[in-house]
Amino acid sequence: WVHGSRENDPDAFETTVTFEEIEGGTQVTLHQVHASKERRDMLIDQFGALEGGLNTLDRFAQVVDELQQAGV
C-alpha cells in the first residue's frame, strides 16, 4: 500500500507486507520504499516512524492473539 496523507505527498512511501509460515508461527516482513534516504530519515527523526511501526506490529500481534483465543 501507499502510505501518505494527501495526493502527491512528497513524504509518501510504499509498503509491502509479506506473511510467511514458519515453524511455530508466522513471520511478518515489512518492506518500505521511500523517495530518498533523506525523506526516510526525516520520517524516522521527526515523526518517530520506527517506534510507530513497532507499536503497530505489537497491536497487530495482540489482535491476532485475541482472534486465535476466540477461535476465529
Side-chain angles (χ1 to χ4, degrees), residues 50 65 69:
L50 290 177
D65 286 341
Q69 291 175 13

Side-chain angles (χ1 to χ4, degrees), residues 28-60:
V28 180
T29 303
L30 283 79
H31 178 80
Q32 297 181 345
V33 177
H34 295 261
S36 68
K37 179 184 181 309
E38 292 76 22
R39 288 285 187 193
R40 183 206 65 189
D41 292 348
M42 186 271 305
L43 291 172
I44 291 170
D45 295 338
Q46 292 184 12
F47 296 104
L50 290 177
E51 294 82 4
L54 292 173
N55 289 336
T56 298
L57 290 173
D58 286 343
R59 289 193 313 267
F60 177 66

